[in-house]
Amino acid sequence: IIIDAVDECTESAQDEVAQLLYLLMKNIRLLKPFPLRILLTTRPEIHIETALSSYEFRDITRPFKLQDIPRDAVNADISQYLEDGFIHFKFKEQLVVKRPNAVAELTQRAEGLFIYASTARTFIFRNVEGPDEAARRIERLVSETGNTVYTVTGRLDRLYLTVLNQAFPEFLLERPNFPAWIQEVLGSIALLQDQVT
């Protein structure tokens, strides 16, 4: 059983999450001879870690932190994920001729962050007309301006800015009411008390 993103429950549900985890672990013990495994994915939130690390359930929990995985293994996974995007691209042969080192360059840019690879892959291959456009998108992601050294978060910021700059066609950006509309939508999201699905 996989329970993904436990940390994304709302703040008001923190007590319920801890109680749910307690009940889950308590009842797993009742199934002792049955070979059941439950995988919980979460960011390190104190109320979740406290529930999972309680002395009573220490013998049935096995914490595994992604940051403990060696960078070589992470880079291999990221490279495979990016390679898979190329394999399923309709014009893969032409793109590989144009950008033979693209997977290696993008893997290096990701610096161990799967979110970078995922966003880059979507940006490169979604709604792309052909290999020339995909090659241009790759070039935008891997090219550095000047001698600026980017931190990991700086690279993510740069990636997101590149994607956002491509998100809307020019004619839409030139509409007089477009900035007000964007501000209204993004402002509403920023001020929400609860997360958006």
Side-chain angles (χ1 to χ4, degrees), residues 83-160:
E83 187 73 41
D84 185 66
F86 278 75
I87 288 169
H88 291 96
F89 184 50
K90 184 166 53 172
F91 307 103
K92 63 184 170 203
E93 290 85 9
Q94 297 97 315
L95 182 57
V96 169
V97 168
K98 292 177 182 303
R99 296 299 309 214
N101 300 321
V103 170
E105 291 174 302
L106 291 167
T107 299
Q108 181 182 1
R109 292 271 184 249
E111 294 188 12
L113 295 175
F114 184 80
I115 187 64
Y116 185 100
S118 175
T119 306
R121 180 175 147 169
T122 301
F123 173 68
I124 293 165
F125 296 114
R126 182 174 287 163
N127 300 325
V128 69
E129 298 293 322
D132 292 334
E133 185 181 353
R136 279 193 300 276
R137 290 181 181 189
I138 292 168
E139 181 59 32
R140 289 196 67 175
L141 295 179
V142 300
S143 66
E144 295 284 354
T145 55
N147 294 328
T148 307
V149 176
Y150 289 96
T151 63
V152 173
T153 54
R155 285 186 195 248
L156 282 174
D157 288 347
R158 187 162 181 246
L159 170 68
Y160 293 146

Side-chain angles (χ1 to χ4, degrees), residues 171-185:
F171 74 89
L172 189 58
L173 295 173
E174 293 169 0
R175 289 184 177 173
N177 61 344
F178 185 76
W181 178 73
I182 287 292
Q183 187 175 13
E184 187 176 319
V185 171

Side-chain angles (χ1 to χ4, degrees), residues 28 30 32 59 73 76 82 103-104 140 172-173 176 180 185 195:
I28 286 173
L30 300 175
K32 193 78 169 169
D59 63 321
L82 292 168
V103 170
R140 289 196 67 175
L172 189 58
L173 295 173
V185 171
Q195 297 176 357

